Amino acid sequence: MALKYVTEGNFNNKNVIARFDFNVPLSKDGSGKITDTTRIDSALPTIKYILEQNPKKLIMMSHLGRPDGEVKMKYSLAPVAKYLAEVLGQEVLLTESCTDRSIKTIIKLNKQKLILLENLRFHKEETDGNDEFAKTLSEYGDVFVHDAFGTAHRKHASTYQIIKYFPNNSFGGFLLQKEVEALNKIVDKPAQPFIGIMGGAKVSDKIKIIEKLLVSVDKLLIGGAMAYPFLKASGHNVGKSLCDDEDVKLAKQILASPLKQKMIFPIDHLCAENPDGAATHINKLDIPDDQMGLDIGPNTIRHYNDILKSAKTVLWNGPMGYFEKDNFSKGTFAIAESISKLKAFTLVGGGDSVSAINKSGVSNKISHVSTGGGASLEFIENGTLPGVQALKFGVN
Ligand code: AMP
């Protein structure tokens, strides 16, 4: 069954209930200022499209932060309602809670077209995937739209269970569509050669995706602190580098597979005695006892760039070093620069890789920068997500 997107829906004179990911970062000073509006901005094409179809009401829902099932006003969606009203030029009514008895009356009234339900995660039923809670939310709308790609890997009430109540009337939004189509290019017969680049800090977080990728990639380039458990597992000295015993065990497991031949590791390193130190070039595999590896070295950059030259598909997750420190950002930025010049389908996914690519200033030259973080990695691991499956096949 095909997934239906908003362009196939009929919203004219309907109450549309839509799930977005408005989980934006707020200023730590308690002023409620949104420090990065990207997530709201990414939802605007879907919101504007629905409004152009002349619905009766658009009822928007989202979570913000981790209030853990309790009403904590620092996680109120009030700043989001204010920002939406500004960018859409229309009033946005924020409800007192998402299960307020008055919501049904408000929907019947003619005043505001745009309603934002207060934070779904003020109720633990949301993350529990509670059916009654999903049913209550579903009663606000005639049609359901899912555009919260960043939470589509969760079986929550508003991202999954609710779809049960809209068996023929559930649609994916434009953001979800863009993400699914881009990720399908990686999952579904990627153009060859397909080169994966994995960095970041922990093997345990990424073991499943490494195992999955090793089947489909031609080569998997490893960088960042991710490299040291593999080097240690191969008998090399990693000095004081980040390297957890559990990760060394997992690395040994992966290296026991014949697919290990596809893995390429750093051949030199930038090191220091501590992350605040100046960079020393260690031009060999072994890192001295008093040093920690904090970036890939220049020979590794050259080697990786050579491999990348012929790529037709590139997937990158995780920085090549401690890129937040200028002394150790060269590897990450060099790889960002080099993939931005390729004539290939390039996809960057996962929180830190996205901030690294934004910091390097080449994000507009990447085919797709996935905003999904966990959701995009899970999509690559499993070839789909629960929220996407539910839109396609429904929920029993
Ligand atoms: P992850 O969330 O697993 O992608 O890890 C990203 C984090 O790993 C970033 O904050 C990087 O600064 C950090 N990182 C990458 N390489 C290193 C390294 N060699 N030493 C210490 N931290 C690193």
Side-chain angles (χ1 to χ4, degrees):
M1 243 198 307
L3 205 159
K4 287 192 281 182
Y5 292 111
V6 275
T7 44
E8 294 170 73
N10 175 7
F11 305 123
N12 185 26
N13 211 24
K14 300 262 170 70
N15 288 323
V16 183
I17 176 132
R19 175 63 155 100
F20 297 101
D21 180 1
F22 295 149
N23 183 25
V24 285
L26 296 177
S27 152
K28 296 210 165 53
D29 62 9
S31 63
K33 199 174 168 306
I34 302 172
T35 53
D36 181 352
T37 59
T38 310
R39 287 206 168 130
I40 309 176
D41 298 335
S42 318
L44 292 177
T46 300
I47 297 175
K48 287 182 179 163
Y49 178 82
I50 295 170
L51 290 176
E52 281 160 19
Q53 310 307 307
N54 206 24
K56 235 191 250 167
K57 298 275 172 195
L58 171 58
I59 302 118
M60 301 176 284
M61 43 182 188
S62 176
H63 72 285
L64 177 72
R66 291 175 186 259
D68 298 328
E70 283 173 41
V71 178
K72 292 182 183 155
M73 287 323 278
K74 68 173 178 173
Y75 296 118
S76 165
L77 283 168
V80 175
K82 186 163 169 272
Y83 179 73
L84 279 170
E86 270 164 34
V87 289
L88 295 167
Q90 305 193 25
E91 233 181 285
V92 175
L93 180 87
L94 177 68
T95 65
E96 225 174 277
S97 98
C98 63
T99 52
D100 228 29
R101 277 176 197 277
S102 63
I103 294 175
K104 285 191 182 162
T105 318
I106 295 170
I107 291 172
K108 287 199 192 107
L109 296 177
N110 260 342
K111 273 190 96 190
Q112 292 94 344
K113 189 161 260 196
L114 281 168
I115 298 170
L116 176 64
L117 303 185
E118 185 53 286
N119 197 337
L120 296 162
R121 290 198 192 163
F122 283 176
H123 307 258
K124 77 176 198 23
E125 291 83 353
E126 162 65 359
T127 47
D128 287 350
N130 180 285
D131 196 38
E132 268 308 302
F133 183 73
K135 187 163 181 283
T136 303
L137 299 174
S138 76
E139 285 165 359
Y140 305 145
D142 309 309
V143 183
F144 174 65
V145 172
H146 192 343
D147 206 22
F149 178 79
T151 48
H153 57 318
R154 310 262 186 230
K155 283 188 170 178
H156 291 172
S158 69
T159 60
Y160 184 79
Q161 253 77 15
I162 192 170
I163 295 172
K164 179 164 149 184
Y165 299 99
F166 297 96
N168 300 307
N169 267 330
S170 295
F171 302 90
F174 291 121
L175 175 66
L176 189 122
Q177 178 173 16
K178 203 164 92 180
E179 292 275 4
V180 167
E181 287 176 356
L183 287 160
N184 269 334
K185 288 196 187 164
I186 297 285
V187 168
D188 224 12
K189 300 197 191 79
Q192 309 279 339
F194 174 18
I195 311 292
I197 312 168
M198 292 292 285
K202 280 194 78 71
V203 179
S204 58
D205 287 353
K206 298 185 186 172
I207 179 149
K208 282 208 211 110
I209 187 159
I210 292 176
E211 285 173 337
K212 169 82 208 211
L213 278 177
L214 278 175
V215 177
S216 55
V217 292
D218 292 279
K219 294 211 158 56
L220 186 62
L221 314 180
I222 303 288
M226 165 81 58
Y228 311 124
F230 287 99
L231 292 178
K232 190 162 182 186
S234 318
H236 293 286
N237 195 0
V238 297
K240 296 195 296 183
S241 308
L242 262 191
C243 185
D244 193 294
D245 288 344
E246 204 42 49
D247 282 350
V248 178
K249 263 197 226 157
L250 294 172
K252 274 195 183 139
Q253 218 174 293
I254 298 176
L255 292 174
S257 146
L259 293 173
K260 76 159 189 211
Q261 271 136 345
K262 295 185 178 181
M263 297 182 88
I264 314 281
F265 297 103
I267 46 179
D268 61 343
H269 316 275
L270 291 190
C271 299
E273 279 181 24
N274 61 66
D276 294 315
T280 308
H281 181 206
I282 304 290
N283 197 6
K284 55 180 182 178
L285 281 179
D286 292 274
I287 296 172
D289 287 341
D290 63 340
Q291 298 280 312
M292 63 195 309
L294 291 159
D295 197 3
I296 53 174
N299 299 331
T300 307
I301 295 177
R302 231 169 287 128
H303 184 43
Y304 285 8
N305 282 347
D306 274 347
I307 295 171
L308 283 165
K309 267 186 202 142
S310 65
K312 285 282 166 271
T313 308
V314 176
L315 168 70
W316 181 18
N317 172 272
M320 295 288 99
Y322 194 178
F323 79 101
E324 293 91 341
K325 299 267 177 196
D326 286 344
N327 286 343
F328 304 106
S329 62
K330 283 197 187 70
T332 300
F333 291 166
I335 296 294
E337 171 90 26
S338 109
I339 69 167
S340 74
K341 291 186 179 145
L342 295 176
K343 286 196 172 52
F345 178 75
T346 51
L347 190 148
V348 178
D352 275 312
S353 340
V354 174
S355 50
I357 208 94
N358 285 338
K359 219 171 147 191
S360 69
V362 296
S363 60
N364 58 344
K365 295 189 187 128
I366 304 297
S367 314
H368 184 72
V369 179
S370 176
T371 53
S376 55
L377 294 189
E378 227 176 285
F379 193 104
I380 294 164
E381 256 168 62
N382 302 322
T384 188
L385 295 175
V388 173
Q389 286 304 88
L391 285 174
K392 271 191 192 166
F393 304 109
V395 174
N396 292 324

